[in-house]
Amino acid sequence: MNNNRANKAEFHVLKKISAASLCLAAVLSLSGCSLALEEAQSQPGQDRLAGVFVTREYIRQGTPEIEMNSRGEITFRETTEKIYGTLNRENDSSQPPITFPGLEGYGLYCLEFPEKDFEGTGITVNDGEERMVSYYTGDDFFTDLHFSSTEQEEGSEGSLYVSADTAFNYFFNPVYQQKDGQVYLLPGTGISTAYFVDGQKYSHDTSQSISRNMDGKEETKSYCFKVSIVAANPPVDTELLFMSEDHQLLKSLSAAQLDAFFEKEVPELELPADVAYLILQQKTKDGAESTHRLFDRGAETLTYMVPAENHMLRELQIYLTWQGADR
């Protein structure tokens, strides 16, 4: 990484003030009134923090509210309207886990459902009233996923890879789940940068602690979500090399040939018995740089990054079957 460039790259925390808010502030200032700013509540009561939804655009709120306090000061506050989402209950892999109307973004979640209503793989917990299942999920763009579940904490973290040297804004909007199972989001904070350099990372944590009655005792549990925005130079060409035991090239697959595997429901590559290892070669910056990754015989998956929409990078995964290997 070029350290000089990295040191110059700056992040700016974006304070969400709508155009209507700015206009109202200007009117009050001109009229000689005193203006006190009151930030919206970041945690809506005891609704449980269930994830974070990352957007590239600021989510605008409703009409600002104006009140006068006991000292005669005019208090200004933006309303925080809940934006409800629709759960993908059919587990359709072509659809995101949760859809928020009119919003584009990437979500990372830990949802809870009554055990009697849940079908699938999850972690059963007891909240003192009924047995619940914690279900971790997220959009396909997340990589480096990690999940944790204990009696004191539920959490997950993941990374979103973006193209280096690209200006962007990202907003981290907390997602809550009500006791009836419905989910909604509220606007969160954001970052802005003129450009990102290869290997640079920005991480954002969203957390909440709430108290519950667990078997007659009051206990506190934390919910934590961490999203990292990671910059990488997007590859412009990908090639997979099949190598023999004596390090000779047996054959190769181009990027187009690798893409064909993803037409299958479960992408799988069968490797002949004479293949000892694989080398994944990717060229970046119009071929000026290249990277090589080694996959030894017995590796279960082949993973690599490819460019995607909105200056994002997507991780692709192919399952490997080695002929003659112990199963």
Side-chain angles (χ1 to χ4, degrees):
M1 183 194 303
N2 187 319
N3 290 329
N4 292 332
R5 293 187 63 197
N7 292 336
K8 292 180 181 178
E10 296 180 353
F11 291 106
H12 305 281
V13 177
L14 302 180
K15 188 173 182 181
K16 299 182 178 180
I17 302 179
S18 67
S21 305
L22 293 174
C23 292
L24 178 59
V27 170
L28 294 175
S29 177
L30 291 173
S31 63
C33 297
S34 174
L35 177 66
L37 295 179
E38 181 179 341
E39 292 190 3
Q41 294 292 322
S42 60
Q43 294 187 4
Q46 287 298 302
D47 288 343
R48 184 184 65 84
L49 180 67
V52 59
F53 187 72
V54 183
T55 60
R56 295 175 61 90
E57 302 293 336
Y58 159 57
I59 299 176
R60 297 193 177 277
Q61 288 294 278
T63 305
E65 296 179 353
I66 306 173
E67 298 177 351
M68 183 172 291
N69 62 24
S70 58
R71 297 188 298 273
E73 297 174 327
I74 293 179
T75 302
F76 164 78
R77 179 177 62 189
E78 285 194 3
T79 58
T80 52
E81 297 178 352
K82 300 175 181 179
I83 301 177
Y84 282 90
T86 302
L87 294 172
N88 179 5
R89 293 190 177 276
E90 300 300 322
N91 200 24
D92 183 354
S93 60
S94 66
Q95 298 297 320
I98 302 175
T99 303
F100 295 97
L103 298 180
E104 293 184 2
Y106 315 97
L108 187 63
Y109 313 104
C110 173
L111 305 173
E112 286 188 2
F113 303 99
E115 188 178 46
K116 58 183 176 63
D117 298 333
F118 182 80
E119 294 182 3
T121 302
I123 301 172
T124 301
V125 297
N126 187 352
D127 69 353
E129 298 177 359
E130 61 179 330
R131 291 176 64 84
M132 304 291 287
V133 173
S134 293
Y135 178 61
Y136 292 91
T137 186
D139 286 290
D140 289 342
F141 273 93
F142 281 97
T143 62
D144 309 324
L145 289 168
H146 298 280
F147 306 105
S148 62
S149 178
T150 68
E151 292 183 356
Q152 292 77 34
E153 182 179 290
E154 298 275 358
S156 61
E157 61 179 271
S159 301
L160 292 173
Y161 280 77
V162 302
S163 177
D165 292 327
T166 301
F168 67 75
N169 299 327
Y170 281 100
F171 294 87
F172 304 89
N173 309 289
V175 176
Y176 295 90
Q177 186 174 28
Q178 299 175 166
K179 289 186 176 181
D180 62 4
Q182 292 190 83
V183 293
Y184 63 88
L185 67 75
L186 294 176
T189 57
I191 60 170
S192 173
T193 182
Y195 58 82
F196 234 180
V197 295
D198 184 37
Q200 195 171 3
K201 179 169 72 172
Y202 173 86
S203 297
H204 183 277
D205 294 275
T206 305
S207 61
Q208 177 199 47
S209 294
I210 61 176
S211 296
R212 281 184 171 179
N213 188 328
M214 304 286 285
D215 296 326
K217 297 188 299 182
E218 193 78 6
E219 294 186 6
T220 299
K221 190 167 186 176
S222 298
Y223 298 87
C224 308
F225 298 88
K226 180 178 181 179
V227 174
S228 296
I229 307 295
V230 185
N233 290 326
V236 296
D237 189 29
T238 299
E239 187 177 18
L240 183 64
L241 310 180
F242 293 59
M243 307 299 295
S244 68
E245 193 71 39
D246 58 354
H247 312 298
Q248 299 298 308
L249 176 63
L250 299 173
K251 63 177 292 188
S252 65
L253 293 178
S254 66
Q257 290 172 314
L258 287 171
D259 288 344
F261 285 96
F262 295 95
E263 296 178 2
K264 306 176 184 178
E265 184 175 350
V266 179
E268 184 175 1
L269 173 61
E270 294 188 9
L271 300 165
D274 59 347
V275 177
Y277 61 96
L278 302 172
I279 296 177
L280 181 74
Q281 178 177 282
Q282 290 190 293
K283 296 181 180 180
T284 60
K285 293 187 175 179
D286 298 325
E289 297 180 4
S290 63
T291 60
H292 298 79
R293 294 176 59 199
L294 179 68
F295 295 84
D296 288 322
R297 186 171 182 83
E300 296 181 350
T301 57
L302 171 75
T303 58
Y304 59 100
M305 291 286 187
V306 297
E309 66 269 17
N310 295 327
H311 303 287
M312 303 287 293
L313 278 72
R314 178 191 293 274
E315 182 182 74
L316 299 182
Q317 183 178 85
I318 297 176
Y319 293 95
L320 302 176
T321 301
W322 303 79
Q323 291 186 14
D326 294 335
R327 299 305 297 266

